[in-house]
């Protein structure tokens, strides 16, 4: 099994991949890990065996079925997964314990977003922008996926691109959950573009949908925060939008700015963009507050 699973695959995903093939004893061990991750990370192999109702030999076979060389490697992987998961909580606790005024909190939060925007601008390059525009303009269909904070960025892209592109723009993860999104992407092909947005904490659903699209020959464009994002190895084109925030798990400010830039560039390239906007404005005339 260790030859199938990549070392970077997280622990919960490893368990999900092999769960159906596990023996009853191994499933009990897997269930215990998923229900008690903090406790498991501090246990000896003997303690884990006792609490999960297994023998130490069974535990050893279980962790090897997950692709780990032994129990110590398994526990180290679990500890690292917990560290990453709890990092936003630790950051919030540190910031929360620092004495500051409400005004100072406002200023700090806005400065964080200004820094994210500066880094986004610094990471933009002409070649990536040109490739992105070429793909957006020639795509037969554009599927947009994003959840959590990224869902709102995805919705912004959906609204903007629908106005200015002739392609069929589909917000695949807008409603209906993961199952509906998978159905949308089951027939993607080489003429299609999947625009995937994911910020920490990264959505496994979005990453899996991007993989599905890539395996079916579609072009994948990613909006994510850093080169370490799991979307980067999948994507053909990547835009980076740092999402750091000292009091929140992430911030979509820079991702919204990139989404805005994408829509603006598409509108600029469309010959009849002015006519399209005029038509929309006229149709919405009586909905505006005068």
């Amino acid at each position: 099994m260790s030859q199938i699973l990549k070392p970077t695959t997280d622990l919960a995903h490893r368990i999900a991949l092999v769960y159906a093939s596990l023996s009853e004893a191994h499933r009990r061990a897997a269930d215990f890990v998923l229900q008690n991750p903090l406790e498991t990370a501090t246990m000896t192999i003997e303690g884990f065996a006792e609490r999960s109702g297994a023998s130490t030999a069974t535990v050893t076979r279980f962790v090897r079925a997950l692709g780990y060389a032994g129990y110590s490697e398994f526990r180290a992987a679990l500890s690292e997964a917990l560290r990453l998961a709890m990092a936003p909580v630790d950051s919030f606790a540190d910031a929360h314990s620092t004495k500051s005024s409400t005004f100072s909190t406002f200023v700090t939060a806005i400065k964080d977003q200004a820094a994210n925007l500066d880094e986004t601008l610094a990471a933009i390059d002409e070649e990536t922008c040109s490739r992105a525009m070429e793909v957006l303009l020639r795509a037969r269909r554009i599927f947009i996926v994003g959840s959590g904070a990224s869902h709102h960025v995805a919705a912004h892209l959906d609204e903007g691109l629908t106005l200015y592109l002739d392609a069929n723009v589909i917000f695949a993860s807008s409603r209906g959950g993961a199952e509906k999104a998978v159905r949308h992407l089951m027939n993607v092909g080489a003429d299609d573009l999947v625009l995937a947005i994911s910020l920490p904490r990264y959505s496994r659903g979005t990453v899996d949908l991007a993989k599905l699209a890539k395996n079916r020959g579609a072009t994948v464009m990613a909006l994510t925060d850093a080169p370490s994002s799991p979307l980067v190895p999948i994507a053909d084109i990547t835009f980076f939008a740092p999402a750091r925030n000292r009091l929140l798990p992430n911030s979509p400010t820079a991702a919204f700015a990139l989404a805005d830039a994408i829509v603006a560039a598409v509108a600029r390239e469309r010959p009849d963009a002015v006519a399209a906007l005029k038509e929309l404005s006229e149709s919405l005339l009586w909905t505006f507050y005068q």
Side-chain angles (χ1 to χ4, degrees):
M1 183 61 65
S2 60
Q3 294 177 348
I4 298 174
L5 296 171
K6 297 180 181 179
T8 54
T9 307
D10 69 270
L11 179 56
H13 195 198
R14 290 188 183 216
I15 291 175
L17 286 174
V18 302
Y19 192 85
S21 64
L22 294 177
S23 67
E24 184 177 347
H26 287 177
R27 287 190 183 186
R28 285 199 302 271
D31 292 340
F32 183 84
V33 173
L34 295 174
Q35 293 166 14
N36 307 277
L38 287 169
E39 189 177 355
T40 305
T42 62
M43 284 181 170
T44 63
I45 188 172
E46 292 81 11
F48 178 45
E50 181 179 352
R51 290 296 307 280
S52 62
S55 65
T56 56
T58 297
V59 171
T60 298
R61 289 192 292 270
F62 165 66
V63 299
R64 287 179 178 169
L66 298 181
Y68 298 107
Y71 185 76
S72 60
E73 184 178 322
F74 157 79
R75 195 167 69 170
L78 177 56
S79 297
E80 177 61 12
L82 289 170
R83 184 190 69 78
L84 292 173
M86 299 304 292
V89 179
D90 294 338
S91 176
F92 178 81
D94 290 342
H96 194 263
S97 64
T98 302
K99 291 183 178 180
S100 63
S101 66
T102 300
F103 175 71
S104 175
T105 300
F106 269 72
V107 171
T108 298
I110 294 171
K111 285 182 176 179
D112 283 347
Q113 301 324 304
N116 286 338
L117 287 169
D118 285 342
E119 288 189 39
T120 301
L121 184 59
I124 288 282
D125 68 273
E126 186 171 357
E127 181 182 354
T128 300
C129 293
S130 297
R131 287 182 61 210
M133 197 53 45
E134 179 186 351
V135 171
L136 283 160
L137 293 174
R138 76 164 188 245
R140 178 171 61 101
R141 293 176 299 179
I142 297 175
F143 296 87
I144 305 174
V145 294
S147 61
S150 301
H151 175 93
H152 305 293
V153 181
H156 186 62
L157 278 165
D158 174 44
E159 183 174 346
L161 294 179
T162 297
L163 175 61
Y164 292 114
L165 284 176
D166 293 328
N168 187 12
V169 179
I170 302 162
F171 190 176
S173 54
S174 62
R175 54 184 178 273
E179 182 179 348
K180 188 65 175 288
V182 170
R183 288 181 182 177
H184 275 303
L185 295 179
M186 284 302 292
N187 65 342
V188 296
D191 295 330
D192 299 320
L193 169 67
V194 172
L195 218 169
I197 307 106
S198 192
L199 305 172
R201 310 167 182 176
Y202 307 108
S203 163
R204 180 175 295 118
T206 298
V207 174
D208 287 346
L209 288 169
K211 287 179 180 176
L212 172 63
K214 186 66 175 288
N215 289 339
R216 291 181 174 274
T219 300
V220 177
M221 184 186 303
L223 268 65
T224 192
D225 68 310
S228 56
S229 165
L231 279 179
V232 172
I234 305 166
D236 300 288
I237 302 168
T238 305
F239 288 103
F240 293 112
R244 288 186 295 274
N245 188 306
R246 276 172 266 192
L247 288 170
L248 300 172
N250 60 50
S251 173
T253 300
F256 268 113
L258 270 177
D260 239 20
I262 289 170
V263 173
V266 167
R268 180 68 177 79
E269 292 296 321
R270 176 172 167 172
D272 58 345
V274 175
L277 185 57
K278 180 175 181 290
E279 182 181 355
L280 176 66
S281 298
E282 288 176 348
S283 67
L284 295 176
L285 178 62
W286 304 113
T287 68
F288 297 142
Y289 183 84
Q290 301 297 325

